[in-house]
Amino acid sequence: MSPEDALNALKKLFRKRLVVDLEELYGTLGTRSRMTVFRRLTMVGYRTSFTHAGRFYTLLDIPVFDELGLWFHHDAGFSLAGNLKESVASHIEKSPNGRTHGELQHMLRVRAYNTLLELVREGRIVRERFGNVCLYVSADLARAGVQIAHRRELAETMAEAFRVLTMEETLEILVEALRAAPGIPAISVVTERLSVRGLKIEPRLVQQVFETHGLVPGKKNRPFTSFSDKGSCPEG
């Protein structure tokens, strides 16, 4: 097959299939020579998958990469960074808060533990213990420090976002909302009163209690009446 015929055959194949393996290339070019296949691929311009140990190929202009520089066709993944090793290193370096193996596996859709170990041994990335997971960050100390600091901020934000009030905290909110007053105070007032008492509870959590118990700021409120005021304790 002449070089021109080979290029036309490759373009036709990729227009139809988008992603192919070596066996399909052998069949299309009518050769079993690996060198010939890659010489023709180089002429047309190609990319190798970072998944499946680089088993799949596509043309340079076919992938539409996402914001992470990744493109998947079925389960074959391609990366602007190149192979799996370079993709992992690039994602860790660019991430504002480092990456865990689980995060990388979710993004790249492949296990990357061995690749991470290689990069750590080569000194291209650093592994740090963060809570109950390993966090992989830049080998540059200044950059790594920023990534770890951002990770801590993210962890604190997530912990607060998913925090559930204890029974004691809920009761404290109700006490402040229902204590003797002309009406139920605003959420901001309750939050401030709790803060003065040393209880830091976010307004959104106070609002949750209000909504759960049907409390409306400004609504008339009857003051608490203690059991002793009634002269006796209720039965039970």
Side-chain angles (χ1 to χ4, degrees):
M1 186 178 291
S2 68
E4 183 178 354
D5 288 340
L7 292 182
N8 289 333
L10 285 174
K11 290 178 181 178
K12 182 178 180 180
L13 171 67
F14 281 107
R15 278 198 301 269
K16 180 180 179 181
R17 302 275 291 131
L18 297 183
V19 172
V20 301
D21 62 14
L22 197 55
E23 285 300 319
E24 290 174 287
L25 291 170
Y26 283 149
T28 297
L29 297 176
T31 179
R32 297 300 298 180
S33 170
R34 187 182 180 90
M35 183 178 296
T36 298
V37 167
F38 283 100
R39 186 162 59 242
R40 302 304 186 217
L41 280 175
T42 300
M43 292 174 64
V44 74
Y46 72 100
R47 295 183 187 277
T48 304
S49 67
F50 70 85
T51 62
H52 303 83
R55 172 186 166 191
F56 294 102
Y57 307 89
T58 190
L59 299 187
L60 288 175
D61 60 351
I62 288 178
V64 179
F65 293 102
D66 62 18
E67 66 278 4
L68 296 175
L70 302 173
W71 177 71
F72 289 88
H73 180 70
H74 301 307
D75 60 346
F78 295 81
S79 169
L80 281 172
N83 60 26
L84 178 60
K85 194 172 188 178
E86 295 307 317
S87 297
V88 170
S90 175
H91 279 289
I92 291 173
E93 186 65 36
K94 293 178 180 178
S95 172
N97 44 51
R99 293 293 186 191
T100 65
H101 175 257
E103 291 168 346
L104 287 167
Q105 184 173 343
H106 177 74
M107 287 188 304
L108 302 176
R109 306 184 191 179
V110 294
R111 290 179 58 83
Y113 187 71
N114 290 336
T115 302
L116 287 167
L117 291 181
E118 289 180 20
L119 289 168
V120 169
R121 283 196 294 265
E122 293 171 5
R124 296 181 60 185
I125 61 173
V126 173
R127 180 173 58 189
E128 296 285 346
R129 193 72 184 174
F130 191 89
N132 60 349
V133 298
C134 288
L135 180 66
Y136 297 89
V137 296
S138 172
D140 179 84
L141 293 180
R143 173 67 176 160
V146 172
Q147 289 176 315
I148 294 171
H150 284 172
R151 174 67 63 157
R152 289 199 183 101
E153 293 175 5
L154 178 62
E156 291 171 0
T157 300
M158 294 298 290
E160 188 62 38
F162 291 98
R163 187 167 84 86
V164 177
L165 288 171
T166 65
M167 179 62 72
E168 290 75 14
E169 289 172 324
T170 299
L171 289 174
E172 291 290 350
I173 293 172
L174 290 173
V175 166
E176 288 296 344
L178 300 174
R179 69 171 59 242
I184 295 175
I187 290 173
S188 59
V189 173
V190 173
T191 302
E192 184 177 354
R193 288 177 180 174
L194 292 169
S195 180
V196 170
R197 293 168 51 198
L199 295 173
K200 185 179 179 182
I201 301 177
E202 287 191 7
R204 65 175 184 83
L205 296 175
V206 176
Q207 183 175 351
Q208 286 178 10
V209 174
F210 271 47
E211 292 175 352
T212 299
H213 294 274
L215 303 179
V216 180
K219 184 178 180 181
K220 292 296 182 179
N221 178 32
R222 292 190 305 172
F224 279 133
T225 301
S226 67
F227 295 142
S228 59
D229 292 335
K230 294 181 180 182
S232 63
C233 292
E235 295 182 0

